[in-house]
Amino acid sequence: MGKGKSDDAKVVKRKGNTKMQLKRNIGYFDGVSFIIGSIVGAGIFVSPTGVLKHSLLNVGVALVIWTASGLVSLMGSLCYAELGTALPFSGGEYSHIKRGLGSLPAFVFIWTSVFTKPASNAARALLFAEYATQPFYGICPAPEVLKKCLALAVLWSLGILNGCSVKMAAWVQTVFTLLKMMALSVIAVSGIVLLAGGRKETLDRFEDMFSSEMPNVSQIAEAFFQGLYAYGGWWSLNYMAEEMKNPSRNIPLTVMTAVPAVIVFYLLVNISYLTVLTPKEIVSSVAVAVTWADRVIPSVAWIIPLSVSVSIFGALNSSMFTLGRLSYAGSQAGHLPVLISMLNVHTCTPAPAMIFSTTIASIFIIPSDLLMLTNYFGFSAWLMIGLTCASLIVLRYREPNLHRPYKVFLPVPFLMVAMSFFLVLAPIVWSPNLQYVYAFLFMLGSFIVYIPFVYFKMHFAFLDKITCHLQLLLEVSPPDGSAEGKHE
């Protein structure tokens, strides 16, 4: 699919003796910002109700599930830390699945991700537009055209930023992560102060927190799904492993800082909500943090909707950064057109990859009904996590001499594989839906593209001319070194 590039595909000359490769510009604090920014979106502010609802309003069970979901996410991120330090390449799960399980499973992953991840970015951009425009319209709904135009503007602003400068993208991520953590800190600290004040009904709620009706196994599993969804994004660091400074040290350290920090904040914020609101009020609230602010800080309650917009913006920036690296890695391995793996000759950033992923996300925004289709691909995220952890196990036995600066306790990836496949099968078995079949068939559809274009290396000569012209237009050049050598 990207193999048959002609000699004139290298027409753009680099300046001086500049080495064309991704630069290691991302440090420890940048990495922490990217992970926290990826995990913490709008959910903890707007709708942290799923866990409590499926726990049958049992406060104790809900808090245990929030903790357990965080620990599972931490176990997964430690598995990824081993892979990221041993194989510090762009592309995250894609690169690891390709190395551990082969080219075909990796192609299925990128085929699915090229569809689902831009759709997720489109949904975030539309949600940001919703929160940014609604204050100007009061109780009336904001016009759809305005929201879509703003969503497209935000997408392309971040796409251009990430395509031009890694340092600037990392700076934006750090600023917005600090802002959202400040907002969560306000909620968490206020809750601790109010709890220390010791209102009787509040203290009773926590003293007898396991006293209400206990949920059954299927309800606990559903609450667990909701909790794990809230921690989604812990896998983002491996997408930028090739750009991390000292990845052997910084990847494990970043993971062990960011994920536990999110667990602590999520618990404190939920305790704060429960200190001010009853479980029934939380479940019935449209936006929990706004209801909380109306009770606790009514004079500056506007800060919460603003914080939601900031949080979504930061999560979108992080997600767009990682998606660009996935497209870049897939192109390097010949699974996407060769142009996508080229780097800008001035900035050494994967500008074509950012344009590619941003364009697909834009397509999802215009007819937003398409976003409904992606609801049934939720199981694919855990399928790929399971395959990534399986790759870790395979590599442990197949390549025992591979240099591993960090090694996770071996039973952990086995547990993650088992849990991943449970999380894939459970929703399909408990609530079967024809759309799951369509999603699965779409994934199998990757074979139709893989066999002729990747396995048999079918190539059309006219694509070289198009690549050459686009390369001149975008001022990009292939990176130094063989992609095959890097990712095999």
Side-chain angles (χ1 to χ4, degrees), residues 27-290:
Y28 165 73
F29 287 107
D30 296 325
V32 170
S33 296
F34 271 108
I35 295 182
I36 293 177
S38 297
I39 297 174
V40 181
I44 191 65
F45 294 100
V46 180
S47 57
T49 57
V51 174
L52 191 58
K53 178 183 175 183
H54 292 289
S55 301
L56 301 184
L57 309 187
N58 189 309
V59 172
V61 171
L63 292 177
V64 167
I65 288 172
W66 276 107
T67 307
S69 301
L71 292 175
V72 168
S73 302
L74 180 60
M75 287 194 301
S77 58
L78 291 176
C79 292
Y80 277 46
E82 175 177 326
L83 289 166
T85 54
L87 306 166
F89 309 131
S90 286
E93 295 109 325
Y94 168 79
S95 298
H96 307 322
I97 292 171
K98 188 170 187 292
R99 178 73 168 253
L101 303 179
S103 180
L104 180 57
F107 187 81
V108 173
F109 172 83
I110 203 164
W111 169 268
T112 307
S113 298
V114 160
F115 173 70
T116 57
K117 291 183 185 290
S120 175
N121 287 347
R124 280 196 180 105
L126 286 167
L127 190 59
F128 170 83
E130 174 84 36
Y131 275 91
T133 57
Q134 196 54 53
F136 299 99
Y137 287 87
I139 59 171
C140 300
E144 285 297 315
V145 173
L146 175 64
K147 288 191 284 189
K148 289 186 178 187
C149 288
L150 180 57
L152 286 169
V154 168
L155 265 182
W156 281 99
S157 297
L158 288 175
I160 292 167
L161 173 71
N162 280 277
C164 290
S165 172
V166 172
K167 286 184 178 179
M168 185 59 70
W171 181 83
V172 167
Q173 189 61 43
T174 300
V175 168
F176 277 84
T177 298
L178 286 172
L179 289 172
K180 75 171 77 175
M181 296 314 285
M182 283 169 61
L184 288 179
S185 298
V186 168
I187 297 173
V189 172
S190 300
I192 293 169
V193 170
L194 290 169
L195 191 60
R199 285 195 313 172
K200 187 176 185 306
E201 62 270 27
T202 302
L203 292 174
D204 288 345
R205 196 175 301 151
F206 288 102
E207 284 174 2
D208 303 320
M209 58 184 181
F210 289 98
S211 60
S212 61
E213 184 184 355
M214 295 294 286
N216 60 34
V217 174
S218 65
Q219 288 165 330
I220 289 174
E222 188 60 47
F224 196 52
F225 274 118
Q226 299 288 331
L228 288 170
Y229 181 78
Y231 285 99
W234 52 261
W235 49 77
S236 60
L237 190 66
N238 280 28
Y239 284 91
M240 56 194 84
E242 198 167 329
E243 295 163 271
M244 287 287 290
K245 298 173 183 175
N246 191 4
S248 300
R249 170 188 175 273
N250 282 336
I251 289 178
L253 193 59
T254 300
V255 162
M256 291 175 193
T257 303
V259 180
V262 173
I263 294 172
V264 170
F265 267 96
Y266 274 12
L267 282 173
L268 290 175
V269 167
N270 275 284
I271 289 169
S272 181
Y273 290 153
L274 288 161
T275 302
V276 176
L277 307 168
T278 65
K280 284 185 180 177
E281 287 175 324
I282 290 173
V283 170
S284 61
S285 174
V286 176
V288 178
V290 175

Side-chain angles (χ1 to χ4, degrees), residues 80 83 93 96-97 100-101 105-106 108-109 380-394 416-417 420-421 443:
Y80 277 46
L83 289 166
E93 295 109 325
H96 307 322
I97 292 171
L101 303 179
V108 173
F109 172 83
S380 67
W382 280 99
L383 175 62
M384 298 312 166
I385 290 168
L387 291 176
T388 305
C389 293
S391 301
L392 186 155
I393 297 166
V394 168
M416 286 300 298
V417 169
S420 297
F421 287 107
M443 293 172 72

Side-chain angles (χ1 to χ4, degrees), residues 316-335:
L316 180 59
N317 181 61
S318 177
S319 181
M320 292 190 70
F321 186 97
T322 57
L323 181 55
R325 272 60 190 172
L326 172 61
S327 303
Y328 168 81
S331 175
Q332 274 199 310
H335 287 175

Side-chain angles (χ1 to χ4, degrees), residues 250-434:
N250 282 336
I251 289 178
L253 193 59
T254 300
V255 162
M256 291 175 193
T257 303
V259 180
V262 173
I263 294 172
V264 170
F265 267 96
Y266 274 12
L267 282 173
L268 290 175
V269 167
N270 275 284
I271 289 169
S272 181
Y273 290 153
L274 288 161
T275 302
V276 176
L277 307 168
T278 65
K280 284 185 180 177
E281 287 175 324
I282 290 173
V283 170
S284 61
S285 174
V286 176
V288 178
V290 175
T291 308
W292 178 94
D294 288 338
R295 297 270 183 93
V296 180
I297 47 172
S299 58
V300 287
W302 54 267
I303 199 171
I304 296 300
L306 177 64
S307 300
V308 175
S309 297
V310 165
S311 189
I312 298 167
F313 189 90
L316 180 59
N317 181 61
S318 177
S319 181
M320 292 190 70
F321 186 97
T322 57
L323 181 55
R325 272 60 190 172
L326 172 61
S327 303
Y328 168 81
S331 175
Q332 274 199 310
H335 287 175
L336 289 175
V338 66
L339 180 73
I340 295 171
S341 65
M342 294 189 187
L343 302 176
N344 184 278
V345 295
H346 304 290
T347 60
C348 288
T349 54
M354 291 308 309
I355 293 170
F356 173 72
S357 56
T358 308
T359 301
I360 295 175
S362 301
I363 292 168
F364 278 100
I365 282 180
I366 297 162
S368 49
D369 291 345
L370 281 175
L371 290 174
M372 297 299 293
L373 299 174
T374 64
N375 293 340
Y376 298 97
F377 281 87
F379 72 90
S380 67
W382 280 99
L383 175 62
M384 298 312 166
I385 290 168
L387 291 176
T388 305
C389 293
S391 301
L392 186 155
I393 297 166
V394 168
L395 289 171
R396 278 281 190 101
Y397 290 102
R398 195 175 69 202
E399 299 185 38
N401 296 324
L402 180 68
H403 177 59
R404 294 176 173 85
Y406 169 79
K407 289 177 78 170
V408 70
F409 184 46
L410 192 55
V412 172
F414 279 102
L415 184 61
M416 286 300 298
V417 169
M419 191 165 296
S420 297
F421 287 107
F422 167 75
L423 291 167
V424 168
L425 295 173
I428 298 172
V429 172
W430 288 342
S431 52
N433 194 308
L434 194 59

